[in-house]
Amino acid sequence: MKDEKIVHHVTTKNGLPSMSCRKVRHMNDTVLVCTNKGLAFFAYRNNSYSYIGVYSEKNGLPSNEVKDVSFDSENYYVVTGLGLAVVPKSLKLSVSKSPDFYIFEIKNYRDEKINFNGIRLSNKNNFLKVK
């Protein structure tokens, strides 16, 4: 906040793995956010931030359920739903984020819209248009 106004609102669109945030820690210019889908890292300098990455089960955490985090000069100590993980700070984070992918419409071979809920197609209905 600055001058009684919110300066930044970080969401899943900006790199948070989840909108459910539990704790926030900061270390120098790095902000660590504990979520139920991993531990997110952001760089915060000069009143602006950038996404760094996420530690999660994909990186070796025992659980994505991150409840708290602490750190020293060499390690992060990540409290998860399945115990404590000691993560070396030297572990590189992947900064690639999957692109957003949305299906807006599905049509069959007759150009008829197909209902998204409980899609069932006959073996004759084997040509689909996806938008």
Side-chain angles (χ1 to χ4, degrees):
M1 292 192 75
K2 184 178 180 181
D3 300 325
E4 303 294 321
K5 294 181 183 176
I6 294 174
V7 177
H8 300 290
H9 180 205
V10 182
T11 68
T12 52
K13 291 180 181 178
N14 312 100
L16 275 179
S18 169
M19 294 296 282
S20 178
C21 300
R22 296 203 163 90
K23 294 210 176 182
V24 175
R25 303 275 190 228
H26 92 58
M27 165 188 69
N28 301 323
D29 291 343
T30 304
V31 176
L32 299 86
V33 183
C34 301
T35 78
N36 63 336
K37 292 187 179 177
L39 178 64
F41 288 75
F42 292 87
Y44 190 80
R45 292 178 197 93
N46 301 323
N47 207 24
S48 67
Y49 70 94
S50 60
Y51 171 75
I52 296 175
V54 174
Y55 283 142
S56 67
E57 290 174 353
K58 292 178 184 176
N59 306 81
L61 284 183
S63 168
N64 284 336
E65 195 77 31
V66 177
K67 299 177 183 279
D68 202 353
V69 64
S70 184
F71 51 85
D72 60 23
S73 61
E74 296 177 18
N75 298 307
Y76 297 110
Y77 302 93
V78 185
V79 179
T80 75
L82 294 175
L84 176 69
V86 180
V87 181
K89 286 184 175 180
S90 60
L91 180 65
K92 298 296 180 201
L93 285 170
S94 171
V95 294
S96 62
K97 184 177 180 235
S98 299
D100 293 330
F101 179 81
Y102 302 97
I103 296 176
F104 293 98
E105 182 179 83
I106 299 176
K107 290 184 177 183
N108 65 13
Y109 68 101
R110 291 188 204 138
D111 222 26
E112 301 167 331
K113 286 187 183 180
I114 295 175
N115 185 350
F116 279 83
N117 298 326
I119 294 175
R120 288 183 149 186
L121 303 172
S122 70
N123 60 353
K124 293 180 182 179
N125 200 1
N126 58 12
F127 178 79
L128 299 176
K129 295 179 187 176
V130 179
K131 180 178 179 182

